[in-house]
Amino acid sequence: MKERLFSGIRPTGSLHIGNYLGAVKNWVDLQDKYESFFSVVDLHAITTPFNPKELPSKIKDMFCEILASGVDPEKSTLFVQSHVKEHLELTWILSTLTNFNWLTGMIQFKEKSEQHAENVNLALFSYPTLQTADIALYKAKVVPIGEDQVQHIELARDILRKFNYTYGDVFIEPKELITESKRIMGLDATNKMSKSLNNYIAITDTSEDIFKKLRPAVTDPARIRKTDAGTPEKCNVYTSFHKYFSDEETLKTVQEGCTKATIGCIDCKKLLHKNMDQHLSPIRERYLEIKSKVSYVDEMIDFGREKAQKVASETIKSVKEVIGLW
Ligand code: TRP
Ligand code: SF4
């Protein structure tokens, strides 16, 4: 039997290179090894300000982008979080075991409550309990995440351990699987890539758009003139992009050319562009094809909900039983 895996991604609009490399690409690589559950976590998304008119299309776009990236809905269970009401049911139950002090120590809560000082709400505070419920509903053992989420998985273990200790062994303590591609910086080389900072390349950007964005992208500041030598490791174009999209040979060419000042940044970016395009154009084409088949997408969303719900309702049943909620 394969081990269970769960991971979630917020419907932020368009999937950019940062969350593609940081999450979805790894999901595609992991789905053969694990029995995987992947969710578009819309209930998490509403803990910070959002536009109700745009939310439905953001959820669907993210769903389509995940499909286009190569998550196979037959192999894995891909679903929209709010469609499976058990997430909320389990969240309430786990809230009774979540120590107030555990939540006050969460870094993401501190960051988000500073970012959105006008609405520091209860759901933002208890966000990690919902995240715990996500994982626990499917009794997932493995949770692929970025480094910024480790604290939430530690908390999940604390909550579930307390549940098991109090009511009997129902849950498995999950373990994080840190994805190799850490923080992908934006084109500005100073901030993490994000939609709101407009420093991103979307996985569905056209080939021309990608080059338009790469052209002014920040490089090693030591290379003021073409004759100045540079250090690829100090260049965001190299560390955030080339490293993930270019083959060994291109990487060698760039290393040599940059340190000996025999290649200019524009040519270096042209090489990158070619490799990025090779990787992304099949995804872009699949995305456009999927988007055009509205009924297919709706069917896949229903299919995912049914598969997820089956497992989730079993779990809720056994949870209620041991607690004495009859
Ligand atoms: N909190 C995660 C993030 O911000 C998303 C998420 C929600 C998640 N539920 C999850 C990730 C469960 C892993 C497992 O990226
Ligand atoms: Fe960066 Fe390439 Fe320019 Fe070197 S040549 S500074 S790696 S863009």
Side-chain angles (χ1 to χ4, degrees):
M1 273 254 286
K2 285 182 183 171
E3 283 181 346
R4 288 253 180 90
L5 175 152
F6 185 97
S7 198
I9 191 162
R10 277 174 291 174
T12 44
S14 54
L15 191 59
H16 57 62
I17 303 292
N19 37 39
Y20 171 70
L21 292 175
V24 179
K25 182 173 181 292
N26 300 301
W27 296 0
V28 177
D29 299 336
L30 291 165
Q31 65 180 344
D32 287 316
K33 192 165 167 213
Y34 297 97
E35 183 189 349
S36 306
F37 293 80
F38 300 121
S39 186
V40 177
V41 291
D42 50 353
L43 295 171
H44 281 97
I46 62 171
T47 60
T48 46
F50 66 99
N51 182 340
K53 290 213 171 70
E54 288 172 1
L55 191 58
S57 64
K58 284 190 171 178
I59 295 167
K60 270 198 182 176
D61 282 350
M62 184 57 83
F63 195 93
C64 294
E65 284 165 336
I66 296 169
L67 286 176
S69 300
V71 166
D72 179 344
E74 298 287 340
K75 269 188 218 160
S76 308
T77 301
L78 173 63
F79 69 102
V80 178
Q81 184 188 30
S82 68
H83 294 182
V84 181
K85 62 182 188 329
E86 283 83 354
H87 285 257
L88 295 170
E89 230 176 325
L90 187 57
T91 300
W92 184 257
I93 292 167
L94 295 181
S95 298
T96 66
L97 297 158
T98 309
N99 214 301
F100 198 88
N101 295 328
W102 293 349
L103 290 175
T104 50
M106 292 296 121
I107 296 160
Q108 189 169 307
F109 172 68
K110 283 181 199 153
E111 283 175 1
K112 297 253 171 205
S113 43
E114 276 167 27
Q115 267 170 34
H116 306 287
E118 74 289 356
N119 184 18
V120 181
N121 59 73
L122 182 55
L124 184 63
F125 186 61
S126 62
Y127 178 119
T129 307
L130 174 59
Q131 187 165 349
T132 304
D134 295 342
I135 300 163
L137 265 184
Y138 306 96
K139 300 187 178 166
K141 198 169 171 186
V142 180
V143 186
I145 41 152
E147 229 150 331
D148 62 326
Q149 292 293 313
V150 173
Q151 211 188 13
H152 288 171
I153 308 307
E154 281 164 2
L155 181 82
R157 280 196 289 273
D158 288 340
I159 296 172
L160 297 176
R161 191 177 307 132
K162 195 164 160 192
F163 185 101
N164 287 346
Y165 177 80
T166 313
Y167 299 112
D169 282 336
V170 171
F171 294 113
I172 293 170
E173 285 183 30
K175 257 183 94 96
E176 63 274 13
L177 184 70
I178 308 280
T179 49
E180 192 194 336
S181 42
K182 298 190 272 300
R183 290 186 143 215
I184 303 294
M185 301 301 279
L187 297 163
D188 53 7
T190 37
N191 296 295
K192 193 176 158 181
M193 186 175 283
S194 97
K195 185 105 200 284
S196 55
L197 292 171
N198 202 17
N199 62 358
Y200 69 98
I201 292 177
I203 60 157
T204 53
D205 275 347
T206 63
S207 179
E208 297 80 54
D209 283 346
I210 294 176
F211 196 67
K212 257 189 224 154
K213 290 181 178 181
L214 282 178
R215 190 177 261 279
V218 175
T219 60
D220 177 359
R223 295 208 71 184
I224 300 165
R225 283 170 299 259
K226 201 174 164 180
T227 47
D228 296 328
T231 317
E233 286 301 332
K234 287 185 187 163
C235 170
N236 186 50
V237 169
Y238 185 80
T239 54
S240 286
F241 306 111
H242 261 303
K243 264 198 179 165
Y244 299 105
F245 290 103
S246 296
D247 48 72
E248 289 298 319
E249 213 183 300
T250 312
L251 294 182
K252 240 179 101 192
T253 310
V254 170
Q255 292 250 5
E256 268 193 39
C258 184
T259 47
K260 291 182 187 155
T262 53
I263 186 175
C265 287
I266 287 294
D267 285 333
C268 178
K269 287 172 176 175
K270 279 184 184 155
L271 286 177
L272 170 63
H273 178 246
K274 192 180 122 239
N275 290 323
M276 267 179 122
D277 209 39
Q278 227 166 44
H279 188 104
L280 296 177
S281 67
I283 296 178
R284 184 168 57 234
E285 276 158 30
R286 248 191 328 257
Y287 174 75
L288 293 173
E289 193 194 325
I290 290 167
K291 273 283 275 190
S292 70
K293 294 191 287 190
V294 182
S295 61
Y296 170 77
V297 177
D298 289 343
E299 262 168 46
M300 285 304 111
I301 291 178
D302 276 348
F303 182 57
R305 174 182 46 76
E306 271 168 32
K307 284 208 287 180
Q309 189 125 48
K310 217 182 216 160
V311 180
S313 63
E314 285 290 316
T315 306
I316 282 292
K317 209 170 135 211
S318 51
V319 165
K320 285 187 161 175
E321 220 166 78
V322 296
I323 306 184
L325 288 171
W326 176 73

